[in-house]
Amino acid sequence: FRIIPVTIAEGIGKIISTIGAIITGTDIGEGLTLDKILFNEVEITSIDFFESSSDPSVNSLRNNVAMWYVGIRNLSAIILALILLYVGIRMAISSVAEDKARYKKMLFNWVLSLGILFFLHILMQAVIFVNNSLVDIMSNARADGTAENFDSVMNHFAADAWDIKIDTVTGITYALIYLLLSVMTFIFLLTYIMRMLTIAFLIMIAPIITITYSIDKMGDGKSQALNNWLKEFVYNVLIQPFHCIIYLSLV
């Protein structure tokens, strides 16, 4: 009765190791625990794209994200220059006061778009910095606590699940808890890898959003694309401290 859940849990550990070997070339399954994922101790799940990494594979990914960001930003600057040319021509040939006022407003929105284009990376850095600072504070609180290390707890449950001196019901309970913790670790690893990739994508497309800002403003005076991008970026980054709070409070 104990063999099945423990074997599944060990299999999950092997799957995690394989994922790490495929993506980074290293065995991230060795000693991987839920708290290490949540408290930025696993390079593959880190979202700090503005800093270099000690892991060559992760560093290569960040360099690619930076390259695409710069390329798309330069392309966006060219498109904004064309939009400026269009607005300038329309202002020059317009004779109706109402049209001139509308194009002046477009010109103002264009200036805002240009400012957002060249300062958006500072905003992204600031959001990630706030997230990492909050996580570091809670990580220090975790280190100062008296609770056992999560890794030792996992090993404790695994050892007791195999211990034939422990009665069957208790042993099965340990085995199920060990399986549950392994499943949670696996789910959060995949979740945080997807979070990292989502944020990488949002960073790369960020310059395009600045173009849509001025275009959106021409219509109903609102910038849905920028607002949606900002909400998505901030939510995906700042969800981590809430996970850490739940972990410290309950786990």
Side-chain angles (χ1 to χ4, degrees):
F1 292 111
R2 305 184 196 184
I3 288 175
I4 295 175
V6 174
T7 303
I8 295 173
E10 296 292 343
I12 291 172
K14 294 297 182 182
I15 293 173
I16 292 174
S17 299
T18 304
I19 292 173
I22 293 172
I23 298 177
T24 66
T26 57
D27 183 6
I28 62 172
E30 184 65 31
L32 179 70
T33 55
L34 180 60
D35 59 338
K36 289 181 180 178
I37 297 171
L38 295 180
F39 293 101
N40 289 335
E41 295 178 19
V42 182
E43 282 289 329
I44 191 177
T45 62
S46 174
I47 60 167
D48 200 355
F49 287 95
F50 297 94
E51 298 291 338
S52 59
S53 171
S54 57
D55 189 312
S57 299
V58 174
N59 208 43
S60 177
L61 172 64
R62 293 180 183 180
N63 288 336
N64 283 329
V65 171
M67 181 186 68
W68 277 99
Y69 176 81
V70 172
I72 295 174
R73 186 184 65 181
N74 293 341
L75 177 63
S76 300
I78 294 172
I79 295 174
L80 281 176
L82 295 176
I83 293 175
L84 175 63
L85 181 62
Y86 167 78
V87 174
I89 293 173
R90 294 304 299 264
M91 286 182 67
I93 64 176
S94 295
S95 56
V96 182
E98 184 178 345
D99 288 343
K100 284 190 174 183
R102 182 160 61 92
Y103 288 122
K104 283 182 180 179
K105 188 176 181 180
M106 288 171 59
L107 181 61
F108 176 75
N109 291 330
W110 180 90
V111 173
L112 290 179
S113 295
L114 188 65
I116 295 171
L117 176 64
F118 289 102
F119 287 98
L120 193 59
H121 65 281
I122 298 176
L123 173 63
M124 292 188 288
Q125 281 181 293
V127 174
I128 292 175
F129 174 79
V130 169
N131 174 77
N132 290 343
S133 298
L134 292 174
V135 172
D136 288 342
I137 290 172
M138 284 181 273
S139 180
N140 292 333
R142 174 190 56 144
D144 293 339
T146 57
E148 281 188 276
N149 180 271
F150 197 95
D151 191 26
S152 65
V153 172
M154 291 276 284
N155 292 332
H156 167 71
F157 284 130
D160 286 349
W162 286 116
D163 191 350
I164 59 173
K165 296 178 182 178
I166 296 177
D167 65 272
T168 302
V169 175
T170 305
I172 293 174
T173 304
Y174 279 128
L176 291 175
I177 293 174
Y178 178 52
L179 174 60
L180 176 62
L181 296 177
S182 298
V183 170
M184 286 178 61
T185 302
F186 180 66
I187 291 173
F188 269 88
L189 176 64
L190 293 184
T191 301
Y192 270 64
I193 290 175
M194 286 302 300
R195 169 177 175 260
M196 180 269 294
L197 294 175
T198 299
I199 292 170
F201 176 73
L202 291 173
I203 290 174
M204 287 189 290
I205 68 167
I208 300 176
I209 304 302
T210 61
I211 301 173
T212 63
Y213 176 82
S214 57
I215 297 174
D216 280 352
K217 283 286 189 175
M218 293 177 191
D220 56 3
K222 298 179 181 179
S223 178
Q224 291 90 345
L226 180 62
N227 291 339
N228 290 336
W229 177 91
L230 191 60
K231 289 177 184 177
E232 194 72 20
F233 182 80
V234 172
Y235 170 80
N236 277 284
V237 173
L238 295 181
I239 192 66
Q240 186 177 5
F242 291 97
H243 288 162
C244 293
I245 290 173
I246 293 171
Y247 176 87
L248 292 174
S249 303
L250 304 178
V251 179

